């Protein structure tokens, strides 16, 4: 008899051989622009906490007060066990922030994507998806049973030809895209996607995970950035990045949200967002709306890093980015691991992103509003110092 589980060890060995193996590193203390990584103080370029709100006193106070008042858990799904006014307040705040009729919060952004895509399309339908979409969008598409076609990254012409070729063969069609691409930092061509969606009678779902709190005049995201507020679409996002909490949301028409409350399995059959997470996210939205200076600081840091790179590392080619996510591509997974560990020993925490997350290996830098100029200057010094022949041969 063979051991039915033996393949797992072999599979892990294959992962190791490809330099695709991942393991977690322990952070101590509160999260921020500097963190203790395995006991050593490092500058944190590895966080999605763009506004530095995860360690913010007001979020901590709001979460603490909510735990004191309501306890730690919500004890069941919202339909069965009832929800809290806090949930409704948060949903109202999201809808008003996004200028949509309504919003619904999920326990994570991942679950929001799975639940929404599977509720909107099924076997008779078509999904057209950007090839660089987040895992939650890809898995939502698979779970829905719809025919899924990936179009080349941000290629509107290719999307149009797929629509011309396929649209009439399907009942409903859903175009799905990240708004800020999480592992690249560039933006989807939103206005063109909206026009195509209208022309071919498709729904459009945009994932604002890395845009919410970051892009747009009021921080409402990419939709606001492109002046598309009020257009009909399905906006998804997370409470766990710039909003410093945990959870996901969908914002859109009242009909859409009402429908999701009845049909999104990952909302119906899961426990409601905890009081602490809900209260922290609500406090974060208030800060984003009332204190644009946090966002200004973030964008100043982005500009400063880009300028220093241009001046001092002119050969270092960044992937095109219009967000606080800046990536340097390297030839192989082994190179990127080596660069990541050199950065770490020099006091810089920036993750090596490898396949299968992305097609090509890269170092991903994400900036925060709370980074000081000195943090960014140190990053430049370290990048200059590391053995970066390979860094320079990027695409
Ligand atoms: C992080 C992320 C998600 C998942 O959000 P969570 O709240 O962390 O589950 C979804 N989509 C994109 C594009 C993301 O980057």
């Amino acid at each position: 008899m063979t051991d039915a589980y033996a393949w797992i060890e072999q599979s892990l060995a294959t992962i190791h051989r490809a330099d695709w193996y991942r393991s977690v590193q322990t952070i101590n203390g509160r999260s921020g622009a500097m963190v203790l990584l395995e006991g050593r103080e490092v500058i944190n370029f590895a966080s999605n906490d763009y506004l530095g709100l995860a360690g913010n006193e007001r979020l901590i106070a709001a979460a603490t007060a909510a735990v004191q008042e309501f306890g730690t858990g919500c004890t069941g799904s919202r339909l069965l066990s009832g929800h809290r006014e806090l949930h409704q307040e948060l949903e109202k705040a999201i809808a008003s922030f996004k200028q949509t009729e309504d919003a619904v919060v999920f326990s994570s952004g991942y679950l929001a994507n799975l639940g929404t895509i599977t509720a909107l399309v099924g076997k008779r339908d078509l999904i057209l998806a950007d090839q660089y979409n987040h895992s939650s969008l890809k898995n939502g598409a698979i779970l829905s049973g719809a025919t899924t076609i990936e179009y080349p990254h941000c290629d509107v012409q290719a999307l149009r030809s797929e629509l011309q070729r396929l649209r009439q063969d399907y009942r409903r069609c859903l175009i799905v895209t990240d708004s800020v691409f999480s592992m690249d930092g560039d933006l989807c061509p939103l206005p063109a996607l909206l026009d195509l969606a209208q022309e071919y009678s498709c729904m459009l779902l945009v994932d604002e995970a890395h845009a919410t709190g970051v892009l747009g005049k009021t921080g409402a995201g990419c939709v606001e950035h492109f002046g598309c507020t009020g257009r009909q679409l399905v906006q998804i996002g997370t409470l766990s990045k710039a909003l410093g909490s945990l959870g996901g949301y969908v914002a859109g028409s009242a009909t859409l949200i009402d429908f999701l409350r009845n049909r999104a399995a990952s909302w119906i059959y899961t426990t409601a967002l905890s009081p602490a997470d809900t209260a922290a996210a609500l406090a974060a939205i208030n800060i984003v709306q009332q204190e644009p200076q946090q966002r200004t600081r973030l964008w100043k840091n982005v500009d400063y890093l880009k300028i220093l790179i241009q001046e001092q590392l002119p050969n270092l080619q960044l992937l095109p980015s219009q967000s606080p996510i800046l990536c340097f591509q390297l030839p192989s997974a082994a190179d990127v691991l080596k660069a990541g560990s050199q950065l770490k020993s020099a006091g810089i925490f920036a993750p090596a992103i490898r396949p299968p997350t992305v097609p090509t290996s890269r170092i991903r830098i994400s900036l925060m509003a709370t980074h000081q100029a000195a943090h960014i200057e140190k990053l430049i010094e370290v990048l200059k110092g590391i053995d970066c022949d390979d860094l320079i041969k990027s695409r």
Side-chain angles (χ1 to χ4, degrees):
M1 287 289 283
T2 55
D3 174 359
Y5 301 89
W7 69 270
I8 297 175
E9 207 173 318
Q10 289 154 17
S11 185
L12 260 180
T14 309
I15 293 171
H16 273 291
R17 272 198 302 278
D19 286 313
W20 286 15
Y21 184 74
R22 298 137 188 260
S23 58
V24 289
Q25 309 182 60
T26 306
I27 296 274
N28 313 108
R30 211 176 261 188
S31 54
M34 304 279 302
V35 286
L36 282 177
L37 178 64
E38 286 157 356
R40 272 193 58 222
E41 189 152 76
V42 293
I43 307 171
N44 187 9
F45 291 105
S47 150
N48 297 315
D49 183 20
Y50 300 108
L51 301 174
L53 294 181
N56 182 285
E57 291 300 343
R58 280 173 285 169
L59 269 71
I60 294 170
T64 310
V67 170
Q68 290 293 350
E69 188 173 352
F70 305 112
T72 49
C74 278
T75 78
S77 73
R78 286 168 66 178
L79 291 174
L80 278 189
S81 308
H83 67 181
R84 300 288 192 173
E85 272 174 15
L86 209 52
H87 293 123
Q88 273 176 308
E89 272 177 59
L90 176 58
E91 287 167 345
K92 262 200 187 148
I94 293 168
S96 134
F97 182 38
K98 290 274 177 182
Q99 295 186 48
T100 57
E101 287 174 359
D102 205 356
V104 57
V105 293
F106 285 69
S107 301
S108 77
Y110 208 110
L111 288 172
N113 278 331
L114 294 187
T116 304
I117 296 171
T118 52
L120 293 179
V121 286
K123 282 203 286 283
R124 294 160 61 195
D125 305 319
L126 174 67
I127 290 177
L128 291 168
D130 190 288
Q131 67 175 147
Y132 287 179
N133 276 351
H134 188 261
S135 158
S136 53
L137 297 172
K138 293 189 186 234
N139 281 326
I142 292 169
L143 196 59
S144 75
T147 300
T148 301
I149 308 281
E150 291 196 336
Y151 57 87
H153 182 51
C154 291
D155 187 338
V156 175
Q157 275 320 313
L159 173 58
R160 174 183 287 280
S161 4
E162 293 296 4
L163 283 166
Q164 259 159 5
R165 185 168 73 88
L166 295 167
R167 177 66 188 97
Q168 75 272 15
D169 299 340
Y170 293 87
R171 182 183 58 170
R172 298 196 278 260
C173 176
L174 178 67
I175 301 170
V176 176
T177 185
D178 282 23
S179 71
V180 171
F181 285 86
S182 58
M183 296 297 144
D184 300 81
D186 55 346
L187 309 185
C188 74
L190 186 66
L193 295 180
L194 274 165
D195 291 345
L196 271 186
Q198 198 164 9
E199 187 180 338
Y200 287 90
S201 182
C202 304
M203 299 174 283
L204 172 62
L205 185 159
V206 294
D207 182 341
E208 293 265 60
H210 294 271
T212 303
V214 170
L215 278 163
K217 192 160 169 285
T218 71
C222 210
V223 174
E224 183 185 37
H225 168 83
F226 281 116
C228 298
T229 307
R231 303 261 317 246
Q232 211 180 28
L233 81 170
V234 183
Q235 292 185 59
I236 301 211
T238 178
L239 309 173
S240 67
K241 286 167 182 156
L243 300 179
S245 180
L246 181 67
Y249 67 80
V250 183
S253 72
T255 319
L256 168 74
I257 302 305
D258 204 25
F259 176 77
L260 291 178
R261 285 196 202 100
N262 285 276
R263 281 292 161 82
S266 67
W267 185 81
I268 298 170
Y269 301 103
T270 199
T271 301
L273 205 58
S274 82
D277 293 322
T278 311
L282 193 52
I285 290 176
N286 286 332
I287 292 176
V288 168
Q289 290 188 300
Q290 283 157 24
E291 299 176 17
Q293 61 271 29
Q294 316 260 10
R295 210 158 42 252
T296 310
R297 240 174 262 142
L298 170 65
W299 285 102
K300 261 176 123 166
N301 282 343
V302 174
D303 292 342
Y304 189 47
L305 177 58
K306 282 185 171 169
I307 285 170
L308 291 186
I309 289 172
Q310 248 170 34
E311 285 174 5
Q312 301 185 36
L313 287 161
N315 293 327
L316 187 82
Q317 280 169 28
L318 291 173
L319 295 189
S321 162
Q322 296 91 46
S323 73
I325 301 165
L326 299 175
C327 295
F328 316 102
Q329 200 169 266
L330 281 97
S332 73
D335 294 316
V336 86
L337 280 181
K338 192 172 127 203
S341 87
Q342 283 180 327
L343 287 169
K344 188 171 143 192
S345 25
I348 301 286
F349 184 25
I353 311 288
R354 291 163 285 162
T357 308
V358 287
T360 54
S361 298
R362 66 203 65 179
I363 294 286
R364 178 179 184 271
I365 305 279
S366 60
L367 285 160
M368 298 171 66
T370 46
H371 281 132
Q372 309 286 313
H375 294 148
I376 296 167
E377 288 153 12
K378 172 82 187 283
L379 169 64
I380 293 289
E381 287 316 307
V382 172
L383 282 175
K384 278 202 261 182
I386 69 172
D387 169 23
C388 65
D389 280 3
D390 294 328
L391 268 184
I392 285 162
K393 280 186 247 140
S394 30
R395 86 176 172 198

